[in-house]
Amino acid sequence: MTNQEMMQTAMQQSAIDAGCCAEDFRKEQNVIVLSKPAPDARKYLELPLACNLISYGNNIVASVQEEYRQIVEEYIGKYRVEHCFETPNMHVLNEALQKKGQKLCFMAEYFLPDMERLREKSCVYELRVLQQEDFSELYTPAWSNALCEKRQHLDVLGVGAYENGKLVGLAGCSADCDQMWQIGVDVLPEYRRRGIATAVTSRLALEIIQRGKVPFYCAAWSNLKSVRNALRSGFYPAWVELTAKPEQFVEELNR
């Protein structure tokens, strides 16, 4: 599997999620489409979305509900692509959406493996490949980034780091869609800064690729520890998203 093939797979999945064509992400001009339910979309997406901006670097594909189309069209037409995903320009979109009961909520950067750099990284701890049946006792706060208690059926594969039989680091992946599995990672606080996160992440990425799937990794741009782990593990930034959610939803998260 090449970088180009994995990028095309990611664009095809983003197209399913957004309700557009994969080639829309390669255009120079922005694209606006209507957000709608899609059975093959990433499982955690609650479609339709009021506003979701997606960019692979060339343009913005805006997936919106009809009542927000004009707001979003004016916004992405006014500012440069990269500025639409950051302040101060982002305040313009948020203020307009808030008048209709929506707020900007999630800002995320997504990473794909660079096949020229992805290699298994070593650490001093024993690494074990884990299957779904091995996760039953691991749905605890310590492993809440690697595994998702609400969607246990999607947690399909993992790599654990062990010291004398004790689990000290875990990378897990969820089968969020048919062709792409998302990686999350946790390391016990007292074992951090020892190369464990990079070791389990890189090994899991290789295990996923061996199974014919594309691994992807998501981090908030400000989560430098997570971003650095992605880069050290052999991933590179592939696309970004900015998502609005109902105001009440945002307020609940802030409590």
Side-chain angles (χ1 to χ4, degrees), residues 79-148:
Y79 304 109
R80 290 171 54 182
V81 170
E82 61 272 23
H83 292 173
C84 287
F85 291 85
E86 63 180 11
T87 57
N89 300 149
M90 203 168 64
H91 290 300
V92 173
L93 178 59
N94 189 66
E95 289 169 4
L97 290 173
Q98 193 170 358
K99 294 176 182 177
K100 291 179 172 289
Q102 300 284 330
K103 279 186 175 181
L104 295 178
C105 185
F106 297 122
M107 301 170 60
E109 185 172 24
Y110 292 85
F111 299 78
L112 290 173
D114 182 350
M115 295 306 291
E116 296 181 0
R117 296 175 48 247
L118 179 63
R119 300 289 186 274
E120 185 172 348
K121 308 294 184 180
S122 63
C123 70
V124 299
Y125 302 96
E126 176 193 1
L127 299 185
R128 301 179 193 171
V129 177
L130 306 177
Q131 307 296 331
Q132 193 171 47
E133 57 269 22
D134 300 316
F135 298 146
S136 59
E137 303 299 321
L138 300 179
Y139 288 98
T140 66
W143 313 115
S144 60
N145 289 311
L147 303 173
C148 181

Side-chain angles (χ1 to χ4, degrees), residues 14-15 28 37 45 101 128 138 150 153 167 190 192-193 203 216 224 229:
S14 291
E28 293 299 323
L45 294 179
R128 301 179 193 171
L138 300 179
K150 292 182 179 179
H153 63 289
L167 182 64
E190 62 270 28
R192 291 172 186 169
R193 302 180 67 85
R203 174 67 181 277
F216 71 105
L224 295 182
N229 179 56

Side-chain angles (χ1 to χ4, degrees), residues 28-33 51-55 58-64 68-85 89 92-93 242:
E28 293 299 323
Q29 68 273 23
N30 295 326
V31 176
I32 299 181
V33 293
C51 169
N52 192 40
L53 306 185
I54 307 167
S55 179
N58 295 320
N59 68 345
I60 294 175
V61 173
S63 183
V64 303
Y68 309 102
R69 177 192 283 269
Q70 184 176 352
I71 291 173
V72 176
E73 186 172 17
E74 291 176 358
Y75 177 70
I76 65 176
K78 184 175 182 180
Y79 304 109
R80 290 171 54 182
V81 170
E82 61 272 23
H83 292 173
C84 287
F85 291 85
N89 300 149
V92 173
L93 178 59
L242 177 63

Side-chain angles (χ1 to χ4, degrees), residues 198-214:
T198 301
V200 294
T201 301
S202 60
R203 174 67 181 277
L204 181 55
L206 291 167
E207 294 286 341
I208 293 170
I209 292 170
Q210 288 177 9
R211 289 158 174 78
K213 306 297 182 181
V214 174

